[in-house]
Amino acid sequence: MEKKSKPTFYITTPIYYVNDVPHIGHAYTTIIADALTRFQKLAGKDVFFLTGTDEHGQKIEKAAAEKGLTPKALADAVVGRAQDLWKALNISHDFFIRTTMDFHERGVQKLFQRLLDQGDIYKGEYKGWYCVSDENFLAEDVPADKEGGKACPDCGKKAIVVSEETYFFRLSAYQEKLLAHYAAHPGFVRPQSRMNEVASFVRGGLKDLSITRTTVKWGVPVPGDPAHTIYVWFDALHNYVTGIGYDWNMPLFEKFWPATVHLVGKDILRFHAVYWPAFLMAAGFALPGTVFGHGWWLKDDTKMSKSRGNVLDPQAILKTFGPDPLRYFLLREIPIGQDGNFSHEGFLHRVNSDLANDLGNLVQRTLTMVRNYFGGVIEDPEAESAKDGRLRTEFEALKNRVFGLYDDSSLNRALEEIWSYISDVNRYLAEEEPWILAKDPGRRKRLARVLLQAAAAIRGVSYLLFPVMPGSAEKIWAFLGEEKKPAEILYPEMRFDDFKPGRKTLAPEALFPRVDLKTFLSEEIKVGEEVLAVIEKAGRGPRIDGGESPVPGVEAKKEGMKSMDIITYDEFKRMDLRVAHILKAERIPGATKLLKLEVDIGTEKRQMVAGIAETYAPEDLVGKRLIVIVNLKPAVIRGVESQAMLLAAVVDDKALIPFFDREVQAGAVVK
Ligand SMILES: [Zn+2]
């Protein structure tokens, strides 16, 4: 008899740029995929989870050349950063694809050839504005600046005009087909608001897409025309088919294709919701079920970026907390489509309040009582009261709701529901007061009943949490003396009553560390103190608003070393130091070291000139919060009046401004 085949679920993350140091944004996508994977397995599906790295393109070529390595050697040297992080985060992917794998390159070439043969790819000439950094031609509607040049709307860098022979993909032929697909499958792009954006972009007209470069050598060569390299996006997107076996393990490919969910950041939604389905239609493949565009994590309300220096390294958090608190925080804090704000205070609050207090305490308390009062084995409970029974009925209803929410990728709402039940269990214990019952030998059976209900509820809760916090769920199950692991029990088979009297439980260990904010922030504070120390060393402090040359601050530093002037407190008090917010920043024509800033000092706006252009790009400064002296006599520098002065350390002739790492009102007094 043939075994009935299980329904399949195939989920992907984008392949991450191998040379990027993986940050919280990469971790977020991968954690979502992992939670959905684990849930769908509990739901009885045959799941495949693919992630990996994009290893081709000009940026890798350049970075490798700078290090004297071949691009492949560079990729080999750094790919472990992502792989190690996934391990530390307890990610359970089935395959990690690298676009330098030979079967991937062959698959891409084969599909390219097929599309070329059938006329969906043709050779032509492309001329356009090109961002070298992003390896991307700018959209034609990007406006020109005053000098007639164009800046990349993504990274702000200057674009160059590139004209080259190229192969085009006949995207224009797919406009109506894409619109028809969107109309027939309103869930193709999630959230809904992004579906509307994508459809309106397509309705605005699609031009054919240049998909090869002659300027880039590091990539998959066009079959039969190796002067052309297949453009990274055409190359990278096809990992979703080659990674599941296309052209090298066709039974696997046929089993899992099409993908159920492609998880992507909202910034790459267009590639996935327009170009990718068009490539697939051309190749005759079925289209994926959903392209889910998630939001960005901001750090203290600012977008994380390398140039801002506020990229959050998840490794630091993992070192202190292990994977589950971070997994929980990222999935609990926001629905998948929205932007989230990562602050250390917010993270710590969730860990201390939700995890250590609500959940950790419940487990610890209950199992300690089971141990102290029953030697670890609950025996002979009395019959259930209506109130005892409510924990079971509530759990069974909760289980169904959570199932629906997980299935809909509404992870944050599933967690809210689970926590509301955790509160109910805590309330039950508070009302039944087992510690009072324990004092009365005549109420031993009642005590057994209360602890049995609580233990069964804890087992149920940790089962429901398993997709999000697999490590903690397994630990709790082990404390409960459960022989199986949560992953071995299918959702419909999970029952409250499977925790029965007579089972031997273990002494619980602490599940979540309690960390106070000061310790948690100490690394950041250390960095801050180093900056201050440099300022102090520089004596009266470098004047960064100085002239063009010599480098501002350097003279001051030497001078300050020789004789540190002592000033009185009253002299210090005469300085009016305030918190300022940078509203605008621009270069001053002809002055390579100076930036003109417009700052909000609370009571008014001020213009200032600062010798910081070698350290900061104007676009990186807007929105930053820093300290300025506002009662200094204005000076005219390069014809521009400077009405305030900022504080900065000077390290290797570069000015480094101490910025506040959290929201501080403009005009706040510094003393
Ligand atoms: Zn760019």
Side-chain angles (χ1 to χ4, degrees), residues 571-647:
E571 284 175 282
F572 169 70
K573 244 180 30 185
R574 288 176 60 202
M575 285 199 288
D576 192 350
L577 298 165
R578 300 286 179 92
V579 174
H581 291 188
I582 301 178
L583 303 171
K584 270 190 217 162
E586 59 188 72
R587 295 186 190 283
I588 297 177
T592 56
K593 291 180 178 147
L594 299 179
L595 291 184
K596 184 167 100 178
L597 306 179
E598 189 183 292
V599 297
D600 178 4
I601 60 163
T603 47
E604 62 188 287
K605 286 178 193 165
R606 291 274 182 98
Q607 169 181 297
M608 56 194 287
V609 178
I612 53 173
E614 288 183 318
T615 329
Y616 299 97
E619 62 269 22
D620 293 333
L621 289 169
V622 175
K624 292 273 191 189
R625 303 164 288 253
L626 71 172
I627 299 175
V628 300
I629 304 171
V630 298
N631 63 342
L632 200 71
K633 195 175 155 212
V636 176
I637 299 162
R638 287 272 169 153
V640 182
E641 187 177 37
S642 186
Q643 304 156 335
M645 190 181 93
L646 56 79
L647 298 179

Side-chain angles (χ1 to χ4, degrees), residues 120 136 318 351 482 567 659:
D120 276 304
N136 203 350
L318 289 172
V351 175
E482 183 80 36
I567 61 166
F659 292 114

Side-chain angles (χ1 to χ4, degrees), residues 456-527:
I458 288 169
R459 177 176 174 275
V461 161
S462 45
Y463 180 79
L464 298 183
L465 283 175
F466 172 76
V468 174
M469 304 204 296
S472 307
E474 284 178 357
K475 264 194 212 166
I476 295 172
W477 273 41
F479 298 158
L480 288 166
E482 183 80 36
E483 277 167 22
K484 288 187 176 176
K485 291 193 167 186
E488 294 168 59
I489 296 180
L490 290 181
Y491 226 100
E493 289 155 15
M494 171 65 202
R495 294 275 172 269
F496 185 88
D497 287 334
D498 288 343
F499 185 89
K500 291 186 166 50
R503 188 189 286 170
K504 176 112 188 77
T505 64
L506 306 174
E509 292 155 26
L511 286 165
F512 306 103
R514 279 181 181 281
V515 178
D516 70 287
L517 188 64
K518 211 176 136 202
T519 317
F520 189 36
L521 294 177
S522 64
E523 283 199 16
E524 289 192 24
I525 290 166
K526 246 184 272 159
V527 174

Side-chain angles (χ1 to χ4, degrees), residues 131 133-134 152 154-157:
C131 172
S133 177
D134 290 325
C152 171
D154 296 323
C155 67
K157 290 182 186 148

